[in-house]
C-alpha cells in the first residue's frame, strides 16, 4: 500500500536547494563544462543508462584526452586502496548496432577523434561484448564488455537545474533518487511534484 504525499508536505520535512550555473549538485564533480557523478552501485549498461537519464544526464561520453585523463585520475584516486583489479565503470560507448562501429549512444556520434582502448581491446570476447567500460586492470582504459554485466557507472550532465534534498531518506522516492553518503538525495525534477511514501 502506498500513500501519495504532496510536495508541500515533503518540504516541511526536508530542506531543499536548487542549483544551477557554475556549481554542480553536491556529490557531483565539475570538469570543464560538465558535472560527473561516479556511482558506487552496480547495474547493467542499460539500467545504468536509465539511471543517468532519470537525472537529466547520460552515461559519460569521453570525447577528449583531457576529459579521459580527468576521469581516469578520479577513478584511480577513488580506488587507490582497492586491491581488486576487476573494478569497472560503464560509459556511454557501444557498438551494439553495428559491430566494430563504436558510437556514443546518447548523441549517436561515432567514436573517431579520440580513443584510449586497453591493449588488445576491443576484442568482442565470445562475440558478446558491445558496451564500453573503464577497467582498473589497465589503469581505467577502455574495454568492451557484455552489456548485461553489472558494473559501477559514471553519469555526465551539463549543470542544468536539479533539485537536491539534504538530509533526506531514500524511501521518499525509492531507487529513482540517487543516495550519496547518507547525506543527500538527488531527485530528477519530474519526481518532485508528488512523492510515494511506502507504508509498512
Amino acid at each position: 500500500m502506498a500513500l501519495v504525499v504532496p510536495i508541500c508536505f515533503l518540504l516541511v520535512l526536508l530542506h531543499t536547494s536548487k542549483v544551477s550555473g557554475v556549481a554542480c549538485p553536491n556529490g557531483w564533480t565539475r570538469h570543464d563544462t560538465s558535472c560527473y557523478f561516479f556511482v558506487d552501485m552496480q547495474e547493467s549498461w542499460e539500467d545504468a543508462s536509465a539511471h543517468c537519464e532519470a537525472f537529466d544526464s547520460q552515461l559519460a561520453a569521453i570525447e577528449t584526452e583531457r576529459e579521459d585523463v580527468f576521469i581516469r585520475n578520479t577513478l584511480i584516486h577513488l580506488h587507490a586502496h582497492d586491491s581488486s583489479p576487476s573494478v569497472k565503470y560503464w560509459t556511454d560507448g557501444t557498438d551494439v548496432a553495428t559491430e566494430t562501429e563504436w558510437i556514443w549512444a546518447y548523441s549517436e556520434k561515432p567514436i573517431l577523434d579520440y580513443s584510449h582502448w586497453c591493449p588488445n581491446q576491443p576484442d568482442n570476447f565470445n562475440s558478446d561484448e558491445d558496451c564500453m567500460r573503464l577497467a582498473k586492470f589497465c589503469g581505467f582504459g577502455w574495454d568492451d564488455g557484455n552489456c548485461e554485466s553489472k558494473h559501477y557507472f559514471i553519469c555526465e550532465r551539463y549543470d542544468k537545474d536539479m533539485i537536491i534534498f539534504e538530509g533526506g531518506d531514500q524511501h521518499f522516492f525509492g531507487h529513482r533518487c540517487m543516495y550519496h553518503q547518507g547525506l543527500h538525495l538527488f531527485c530528477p525534477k519530474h519526481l518532485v511534484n508528488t512523492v510515494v511514501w511506502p507504508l509498512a
Side-chain angles (χ1 to χ4, degrees), residues 34-98:
S34 291
C35 298
Y36 300 83
F37 193 66
F38 297 83
V39 183
D40 61 354
M41 63 181 179
Q42 300 189 53
E43 300 284 2
S44 68
W45 185 87
E46 184 176 1
D47 287 346
S49 181
H51 273 287
C52 291
E53 288 182 13
F55 294 92
D56 198 21
S57 66
Q58 62 273 345
L59 286 171
I62 306 171
E63 299 180 275
T64 66
E65 182 179 10
R66 175 179 169 84
E67 183 180 20
D68 192 28
V69 169
F70 158 73
I71 290 175
R72 281 190 283 121
N73 286 344
T74 301
L75 293 178
I76 288 169
H77 175 74
L78 286 174
H79 295 279
H81 304 293
D82 189 342
S83 60
S84 172
S86 62
V87 175
K88 299 178 179 72
Y89 281 77
W90 286 127
T91 72
D92 197 43
T94 182
D95 72 342
V96 69
T98 305

Side-chain angles (χ1 to χ4, degrees), residues 40-187:
D40 61 354
M41 63 181 179
Q42 300 189 53
E43 300 284 2
S44 68
W45 185 87
E46 184 176 1
D47 287 346
S49 181
H51 273 287
C52 291
E53 288 182 13
F55 294 92
D56 198 21
S57 66
Q58 62 273 345
L59 286 171
I62 306 171
E63 299 180 275
T64 66
E65 182 179 10
R66 175 179 169 84
E67 183 180 20
D68 192 28
V69 169
F70 158 73
I71 290 175
R72 281 190 283 121
N73 286 344
T74 301
L75 293 178
I76 288 169
H77 175 74
L78 286 174
H79 295 279
H81 304 293
D82 189 342
S83 60
S84 172
S86 62
V87 175
K88 299 178 179 72
Y89 281 77
W90 286 127
T91 72
D92 197 43
T94 182
D95 72 342
V96 69
T98 305
E99 186 62 37
T100 75
E101 294 185 11
W102 287 87
I103 64 169
W104 299 117
Y106 184 81
S107 65
E108 298 184 350
K109 288 176 58 177
I111 300 176
L112 299 175
D113 296 332
Y114 177 78
S115 64
H116 186 220
W117 292 100
C118 299
N120 303 314
Q121 300 297 331
D123 62 356
N124 195 30
F125 184 70
N126 285 335
S127 301
D128 195 24
E129 294 189 328
D130 296 315
C131 294
M132 185 194 296
R133 58 197 181 182
L134 307 181
K136 185 173 185 263
F137 70 79
C138 63
F140 293 106
W142 301 8
D143 178 41
D144 58 341
N146 184 300
C147 301
E148 296 302 317
S149 298
K150 292 191 175 183
H151 301 309
Y152 304 122
F153 55 99
I154 308 166
C155 298
E156 178 182 2
R157 71 186 291 269
Y158 294 103
D159 50 0
K160 300 174 184 176
D161 291 352
M162 177 181 269
I163 303 297
I164 303 174
F165 295 94
E166 298 181 354
D169 185 323
Q170 63 181 329
H171 293 299
F172 280 110
F173 295 92
H175 68 279
R176 292 173 295 177
C177 285
M178 282 187 184
Y179 193 52
H180 178 67
Q181 296 181 350
L183 299 176
H184 299 90
L185 206 59
F186 302 104
C187 301

